[in-house]
């Protein structure tokens, strides 16, 4: 079945450092891929998405490229801020369904 | 426009009781999905509804049930509550067309004592 694997956290960085959170997936067909972010006490917010191979999703300085050859969708940001501290979830959605399959989440802590 | 609204935000129940959680999707959205979030199991899919029909169901016992009304509002019910049902229950809505995204509510925090 479909699945998502995310790197374990927490990831601890200093402000302005470069961020990478790895995400790989297993799926049949051509899933859509997403990164969601969850701030303390909140629900999930969509950060970015990509719906086909080689698409690059981007938002608020975050980027991720849909790599079919490596089945990956790694999240990157060139310069993190303290306000980026949150839990990040990689997710996939298969064809003709709204069901999302999530990774385990990666907690990011950014210190000034 | 208003986002996804989940009520109540917090709930404390006793083992053996039942509970009903409500989700009002974004206006115009016809698809509603439910997820359970726990520290141990992460985010797990419960149900997906579209136009009052359940399209998908996750791997949860029959104590977990749901429904969707003609106005797209959805409810989920958990009967005979167990301590392990303590979780954040999240609802998401979407337009249900190609390339749409799911918008999540803030969730209902259920504590079973």
């Amino acid at each position: 079945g479909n699945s998502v694997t995310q790197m374990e956290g927490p990831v601890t960085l200093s402000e302005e450092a470069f961020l990478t959170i790895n995400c790989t997936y297993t799926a049949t067909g051509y899933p859509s891929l997403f990164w969601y972010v969850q701030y303390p006490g909140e629900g999930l917010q969509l950060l970015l998405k990509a719906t086909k191979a080689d698409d690059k999703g981007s938002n608020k300085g975050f980027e991720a490229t849909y790599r079919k050859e490596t089945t990956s969708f790694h999240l990157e940001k060139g310069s993190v801020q303290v306000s980026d501290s949150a839990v990040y979830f990689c997710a996939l959605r298969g064809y003709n369904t709204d069901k999302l399959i999530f990774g385990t989440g990666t907690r990011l802590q950014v210190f000034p | 426009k208003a986002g996804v609204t989940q009520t109540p935000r917090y709930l404390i129940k006793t083992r053996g009781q039942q509970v009903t959680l409500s989700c009002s999707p974004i206006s115009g959205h016809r698809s509603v999905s439910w997820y359970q979030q726990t520290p141990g199991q992460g985010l797990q899919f419960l149900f997906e509804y579209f136009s009052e029909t359940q399209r998908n169901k996750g791997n949860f016992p029959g104590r977990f049930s749901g429904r969707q009304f003609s106005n797209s509002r959805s409810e989920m019910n958990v009967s005979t509550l167990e301590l392990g049902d303590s979780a954040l229950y999240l609802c998401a809505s979407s337009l249900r067309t190609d390339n749409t995204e799911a918008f999540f509510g803030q969730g209902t925090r259920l504590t079973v004592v």
Side-chain angles (χ1 to χ4, degrees):
Chain A
N2 295 347
S3 66
V4 175
T5 302
Q6 256 182 269
M7 65 186 285
E8 295 275 338
V11 173
T12 303
L13 296 172
S14 298
E15 206 165 25
E16 298 183 4
F18 183 85
L19 168 70
T20 300
I21 300 178
N22 290 337
C23 171
T24 57
Y25 67 89
T26 301
T28 53
Y30 302 93
S32 296
L33 301 174
F34 305 84
W35 277 100
Y36 281 87
V37 59
Q38 187 175 36
Y39 298 100
E42 302 283 323
L44 300 175
Q45 298 176 25
L46 179 67
L47 184 58
L48 53 83
K49 66 177 182 181
T51 57
K52 61 182 187 296
D54 299 325
D55 267 2
K56 177 186 280 189
S58 61
N59 186 27
K60 300 180 182 179
F62 291 89
E63 293 183 339
T65 301
Y66 188 162
R67 302 280 189 204
K68 188 163 176 61
E69 64 275 13
T70 54
T71 61
S72 65
F73 192 56
H74 304 321
L75 182 68
E76 296 182 335
K77 187 176 186 182
S79 176
V80 294
Q81 306 300 311
V82 172
S83 57
D84 294 327
S85 298
V87 180
Y88 292 81
F89 292 92
C90 184
L92 73 79
R93 185 184 69 203
Y95 175 73
N96 200 30
T97 178
D98 282 332
K99 173 184 175 181
L100 289 165
I101 295 171
F102 288 92
T104 52
T106 303
R107 181 175 300 279
L108 170 65
Q109 297 173 319
V110 181
F111 293 95
Chain B
K1 55 185 175 182
V4 178
T5 303
Q6 291 189 245
T7 56
R9 288 291 311 278
Y10 302 92
L11 208 48
I12 299 175
K13 290 287 188 178
T14 305
R15 269 184 304 174
Q17 287 187 310
Q18 73 151 16
V19 67
T20 299
L21 311 182
S22 179
C23 172
S24 293
I26 291 171
S27 178
H29 285 195
R30 297 169 65 191
S31 177
V32 173
S33 299
W34 289 88
Y35 297 84
Q36 181 197 64
Q37 185 177 24
T38 60
Q41 300 298 315
L43 279 155
Q44 293 190 289
F45 170 78
L46 280 156
F47 326 98
E48 174 191 352
Y49 287 92
F50 178 73
S51 292
E52 302 178 67
T53 300
Q54 187 180 90
R55 293 178 60 91
N56 269 306
K57 187 178 191 304
N59 188 25
F60 279 82
R63 301 184 296 107
F64 290 80
S65 62
R67 58 179 175 169
Q68 186 180 33
F69 302 95
S70 58
N71 62 357
S72 294
R73 190 177 70 85
S74 178
E75 289 181 347
M76 66 163 281
N77 184 78
V78 188
S79 62
T80 320
L81 284 165
E82 300 177 359
L83 295 179
D85 297 333
S86 295
L88 180 67
Y89 290 88
L90 292 166
C91 168
S93 78
S94 65
L95 274 170
R96 195 65 177 89
T97 59
D98 286 345
N99 295 329
T100 59
E101 61 188 77
F103 293 85
F104 282 81
Q106 291 188 292
T108 294
R109 171 75 62 186
L110 171 65
T111 302
V112 182
V113 297

